[in-house]
Amino acid sequence: MALIVHKYGGTSMGSTERIRNVAKRVAKWARAGHQMVVVPSAMSGETNRLLGLAKELAPGKHTAAYRRELDMLASTGEQASSALLAIALQAEGMPSVSYAGWQVPIKTDSAYTKARIDSIDDKRVRADLNAGKVVIITGFQGVDPDGNVTTLGRGGSDTSAVAVAAALKADEALIYTDVDGVYTTDPRVVPEARRLQSLSFEEMLEMASLGSKVLQIRSVEFAGKYKVPMRVLSSFTPWDIDLAEEAKSGTLITFEEDEKMEKAVVSGIAFNRDEAKISVLGVPDRPGIAYQILGTVADANIEIDVIIQNVSKDGKTDFSFTVNHVDYARCIDLLKEKVLPELGAAVVEGDPRICKVSIVGIGMRSHVGVAAKMFRALSEEGINIQMISTSEIKTSVVIDEKYMELAVRALHRAFDLDQAPV
Ligand code: ADP
Ligand code: ASP
Ligand code: MG
């Protein structure tokens, strides 16, 4: 007997028919003797619908008081789907109880709309499990020290599931979704993408942080920190398939790097359309200039990603970096108001129509020429590279947004990702 956490995403919970299917699958696992905790997302479209209503009433509001209400609002989507799943399980003859985040409680900080989990109390859940119930815990939400409901950022139910699994020392967190695993790249962009049987935790962390939305990055961080075995698999297989077969399906995120992984130099390609480029041109090239620009941006809580500084000419240099779209306008205003006056003649330019495409693989550690191969593949397609950033197991380029799909396909081909590794 094992303690297993299942997570079901929005599409998997998208209708009463699908919720019934989830209930039948969970009941199958429970009847096989496992203790089951299930973390559902809101029904597909529901979070967007709720947030859209708020936007209609208060476009452009960003106060803490407003964000508090967004969390009150958005958390109801998961509360509804959790209760519906408990009802569906009871209808299958399976005792079940659902809890909202605050009832467990899942304690978080007070950063509304992107709160972080601090602790999870397992007492109530364990008592129910020991009483033979399936326990449903709402994804995406918790409660702050003052008793306010918080949410964990878009896609946050993945993180709820892994955090719950860590707190309960579960044997495995199974993330059921609308694809049958983690692919070499988003299969909706490259139909030739191939499902990976396993992927190292480090690679998954890079893929998620570089834009693969199949898992929220914090869920992977949790899995790494608490060594939670994690698997991504399909919720669309017939619910009554053989349990042992289902348990081995999908993609396993592993903490061990085996030989086969080393052979694949590049394991996957990630892309991100959420960033915008900002350049500060003609700044005096003297010590402290990077701090003057980026320090001011960081102090305003704006996250900076790729950074480049050009060689200087006549004592002047150009400085470019990327930020998330949501911070773009605020960042430009900030630079114009606070930084430019102090820098003399510098100008700020922005380009929101860029994207970042990245290749990821632990094999890159031991192979040379991987980045060069990436640049050649892009040049053969006539794609201009605006910025480059590398680390041990990834290389990212910033390019014009309109070439994103072309670039991803070209790289997928160049690194033979459509073919199984030999
Ligand atoms: P859920 O609602 O179950 O959380 P998401 O939409 O958040 O599902 O995540 C699943 C989606 O992630 C897939 O439908 C797919 O389009 C996208 N995706 C992006 N990159 C990848 C990848 N490398 N492998 C698999 N799916 C990916
Ligand atoms: N319902 C939330 C969202 O749409 C959380 C999730 O699905 O993981 O972002
Ligand atoms: Mg998701």
Side-chain angles (χ1 to χ4, degrees), residues 10 14 27 33-34 86 89 108 144 150 162 166 168 235-236 242 253 296 307 381 398 402 414:
H34 300 302
L89 275 157
T108 71
D144 82 353
T150 54
V162 179
L168 292 167
S235 70
F236 290 158
D242 179 59
I253 313 302
T296 311
I307 305 170
E381 298 294 340
V398 169
K402 68 173 181 264

Side-chain angles (χ1 to χ4, degrees), residues 7 155 158 213-214:
K7 181 259 171 177
D158 297 330
K213 292 195 173 123
V214 61

Side-chain angles (χ1 to χ4, degrees), residues 374-375 378-379 383-388 396-399:
M374 177 188 201
F375 305 152
L378 295 173
S379 83
I383 300 171
N384 185 40
I385 300 170
Q386 303 178 18
M387 301 168 102
I388 299 170
S396 303
V397 295
V398 169
I399 59 171

Side-chain angles (χ1 to χ4, degrees), residues 262 362-368 392:
E262 286 288 355
I362 48 178
M364 284 165 74
R365 277 188 199 133
S366 46
H367 290 76
V368 290
E392 210 188 12

Side-chain angles (χ1 to χ4, degrees), residues 109-271:
D109 62 17
S110 302
Y112 300 121
T113 72
K114 49 177 179 197
R116 281 181 182 271
I117 297 177
D118 289 327
S119 66
I120 298 179
D121 189 340
D122 66 346
K123 227 181 285 147
R124 203 166 185 177
V125 178
R126 281 209 193 275
D128 286 320
L129 289 174
N130 292 337
K133 289 182 195 164
V134 171
V135 181
I136 322 281
I137 301 177
T138 51
F140 183 48
Q141 62 190 269
V143 62
D144 82 353
D146 297 321
N148 299 301
V149 171
T150 54
T151 67
L152 311 178
R154 299 309 303 268
S157 300
D158 297 330
T159 303
S160 307
V162 179
V164 162
L168 292 167
K169 301 191 175 53
D171 294 275
E172 197 168 27
L174 299 177
I175 311 293
Y176 287 86
T177 183
D178 56 7
V179 279
D180 63 355
V182 179
Y183 278 66
T184 47
T185 192
D186 190 339
R188 293 184 209 283
V189 171
V190 180
E192 297 78 31
R194 206 169 32 82
R195 180 172 61 81
L196 297 160
Q197 284 219 330
S198 65
L199 187 66
S200 78
F201 152 74
E202 279 179 285
E203 287 170 315
M204 191 63 241
L205 198 62
E206 286 285 8
M207 292 277 281
S209 85
L210 294 168
S212 290
K213 292 195 173 123
V214 61
L215 288 176
Q216 198 200 37
I217 173 140
R218 286 187 191 167
S219 71
V220 190
E221 286 168 359
F222 254 101
K225 192 163 170 197
Y226 298 99
K227 295 281 174 296
V228 181
M230 187 178 186
R231 184 181 287 278
V232 177
L233 67 171
S234 171
S235 70
F236 290 158
T237 54
W239 69 267
D240 55 355
I241 57 168
D242 179 59
L243 192 145
E245 191 188 315
E246 184 176 318
K248 280 188 299 189
S249 65
T251 301
L252 178 69
I253 313 302
T254 63
F255 298 101
E256 286 147 33
E257 297 169 6
D258 64 23
E259 266 175 36
K260 196 154 95 244
M261 289 175 154
E262 286 288 355
K263 271 191 200 155
V265 179
V266 170
S267 299
I269 297 170
F271 48 85

